[in-house]
Amino acid sequence: MIFLDNAGTTKMFEECLQVYGGYACKDFFNPSAMSMESMNVSKALLETEKFFLNVLGASDGNVIFTGSATESNNLAIKGSFRKGDYEYVFSAGEHPSVYNVAKKMELDGCKVHFVPLNSAGQVDLVELEKVLNEKTRLISVMFVSNETGAVNDLDKIIKLKTRLCPRAVLHVDGVQGFMKIPFSLRKTPVDLFSFSAHKIHGPKGVAGLYVKNKGALKELFQGGGQQYGVRSGTENVPGIMQFKRAVELTDVRKNLEHVEELKKSLVEILTAGGVECVDFAGSPYILNVAFNGVKGETMLHALDEKGVVVGLGSACSAKKAGNRVLENIGFDKDKIVSSVRISFSAYQSVKEIEEAGKIIVETYKDIKEKVS
Ligand code: PLP
């Protein structure tokens, strides 16, 4: 099978399995208990938090470990909410774990702005500038779009925030960029940054939220006060340690170069075969293609039968009709229906991708002949 839905999830590194065993069966102690064994686990967790802060390029702040980036996003947004005459700003292209929180806030009576995307799939900065003001409490924008791979210009967004609403909190959903696109909080200082393990060959059910000022973040649920009182609940120590191992095994720049090559070779094969490749000039990990005249869903199932797995966009919303993000960018209905998301792993070979390309082109030609 050639798996081309790596923005949906990735296969975990086998090396992470051993790490799990070590902390699930041997050093299984509760990090909040008082025994020496527990204190050692607590120390290891603290070191792991420092490890992540270092990877993110943070000179201060904390990392809160969560059960998913969905939880990280909810914690960032709901934890920054305050009663009062405030405004909340989101991009129209956010993942459902941000977008649906924003929609619910709007339903609950908050003043919420959804900033449209430009034709390159990025947050439209002219439109963003129009809605920012001294009442802005939170801006939440993603780093890399899970639908298109478009990369937002976070540095320009920070400049706008500094000029127009310096007291606002800036949250970035970094899931599709973390350990894939070079990023450092030193250069791009945001207040909150979400990231997830299972998108980078780590385990499912483990994620993180970088928090610059933990005192300003309200907890989502009450409990034993773990993780500075921001996220109660016994930490998933084995999972967090596996996440760390996955990060250690990742070479961002080397992977990026390789994935650029993978994308280039697939685009060449598909374009020559009559498949429209939409280049958002963003992350090389994601490629949007349109099978004009054939439904994306039909292609997905036909390819699945031939051992090539592709995606239809966000796994969490893939079962819903339409595509809110592509619609916002200005795709017409036919193009949206014929669109498929292809996403790469840095551990795939050019040969494997060329093989997938051939299968995709053959399948498209076969189906197109039948339907025309
Ligand atoms: N944000 C983005 C941009 C994503 O792509 C995803 C997963 O598809 C999430 C958030 C949610 O991540 P998780 O599966 O860890 O909840």
Side-chain angles (χ1 to χ4, degrees):
M1 186 232 284
I2 306 176
F3 187 73
L4 293 177
D5 193 18
N6 292 281
T9 197
T10 55
K11 179 179 163 183
M12 192 176 77
F13 288 124
E14 304 237 336
E15 287 90 330
C16 292
L17 285 174
Q18 288 129 32
V19 177
Y20 194 92
Y23 279 92
C25 301
K26 194 171 150 272
D27 294 318
F28 61 88
F29 312 99
N30 188 326
S32 299
M34 301 297 283
S35 69
M36 221 163 59
E37 290 82 357
S38 284
M39 282 201 263
N40 283 338
V41 174
S42 172
K43 225 188 275 168
L45 255 187
L46 211 61
E47 271 159 27
T48 304
E49 183 193 351
K50 279 196 200 129
F51 167 85
F52 275 93
L53 286 170
N54 191 40
V55 164
L56 289 165
S59 50
D60 55 6
N62 295 91
V63 165
I64 305 296
F65 295 108
T66 62
S68 62
T70 297
E71 184 190 332
S72 299
N73 287 341
N74 271 261
L75 175 60
I77 300 164
K78 293 175 185 169
S80 300
F81 169 80
R82 295 290 183 276
K83 278 191 187 143
D85 190 14
Y86 292 117
E87 299 183 10
Y88 298 83
V89 177
F90 300 89
S91 97
E94 295 303 303
H95 183 268
S97 57
V98 169
Y99 188 80
N100 290 339
V101 180
K103 278 285 177 198
K104 173 81 169 62
M105 286 169 76
E106 195 177 37
L107 263 179
D108 291 343
C110 288
K111 177 93 177 147
V112 172
H113 300 276
F114 290 100
V115 181
L117 306 177
N118 61 24
S119 56
Q122 299 162 306
V123 181
D124 187 323
L125 296 180
V126 176
E127 295 298 321
L128 177 65
E129 182 166 2
K130 285 184 197 162
V131 300
L132 297 183
N133 63 67
E134 68 283 355
K135 287 187 188 172
T136 308
R137 165 80 195 143
L138 171 88
I139 307 166
S140 182
V141 290
M142 67 210 314
F143 180 15
V144 176
S145 166
N146 54 296
E147 299 276 353
T148 62
V151 179
N152 279 319
D153 191 335
L154 297 178
D155 297 335
K156 281 198 181 142
I157 293 172
I158 291 172
K159 277 194 186 135
L160 284 179
K161 173 185 121 74
T162 309
R163 179 159 60 83
L164 299 165
C165 48
R167 290 207 309 235
V169 173
L170 176 58
H171 166 241
V172 171
D173 175 349
V175 168
Q176 296 292 347
F178 179 67
M179 298 311 290
K180 292 182 176 178
I181 307 290
F183 172 85
S184 169
L185 286 164
R186 251 186 298 279
K187 178 177 170 282
T188 311
V190 304
D191 301 297
L192 300 158
F193 186 89
S194 307
F195 52 101
S196 189
H198 75 105
K199 310 289 186 182
I200 62 150
H201 300 274
K204 291 174 181 55
V206 190
L209 178 68
Y210 165 76
V211 181
K212 187 174 173 60
N213 178 7
K214 62 180 180 298
L217 196 68
K218 295 222 171 100
E219 75 276 19
L220 289 187
F221 29 82
Q222 286 66 50
Q226 288 92 337
Q227 299 199 67
Y228 315 103
V230 176
R231 204 267 190 177
S232 282
T234 302
E235 296 88 340
N236 174 6
V237 182
I240 294 167
M241 297 306 183
Q242 287 183 303
F243 190 5
K244 179 181 179 220
R245 189 78 194 107
V247 171
E248 283 169 345
L249 290 167
T250 306
D251 183 332
V252 177
R253 288 187 191 272
K254 187 169 151 233
N255 289 354
L256 191 68
E257 253 176 53
H258 178 62
V259 174
E260 270 164 3
E261 200 189 333
L262 297 183
K263 186 175 190 175
K264 192 167 160 270
S265 46
L266 189 64
V267 167
E268 270 170 23
I269 295 169
L270 296 187
T271 308
V275 180
E276 186 185 349
C277 296
V278 191
D279 192 3
F280 288 98
S283 164
Y285 282 85
I286 296 178
L287 170 67
N288 231 272
V289 300
F291 295 100
N292 296 318
V294 176
K295 276 188 179 170
E297 202 179 329
T298 308
M299 280 300 296
L300 181 143
H301 293 304
L303 288 172
D304 206 4
E305 273 179 28
K306 293 186 181 173
V308 176
V309 177
V310 296
L312 275 189
S314 168
C316 318
S317 61
K319 292 194 180 100
K320 287 192 187 152
N323 185 312
R324 149 179 72 78
V325 178
L326 298 182
E327 241 169 70
N328 199 276
I329 294 169
F331 276 32
D332 64 36
K333 280 218 165 65
D334 288 344
K335 197 159 169 181
I336 292 175
V337 168
S338 71
S339 289
V340 157
R341 180 185 71 180
I342 289 173
S343 47
F344 305 95
S345 157
Y347 308 102
Q348 288 169 319
S349 65
V350 173
K351 198 163 160 270
E352 209 178 338
I353 295 305
E354 284 172 351
E355 173 68 16
K358 261 194 252 153
I359 297 172
I360 294 171
V361 168
E362 274 166 26
T363 309
Y364 178 45
K365 283 186 177 158
D366 275 0
I367 298 179
K368 205 165 177 198
E369 232 179 68
K370 278 183 202 144
V371 294
S372 59

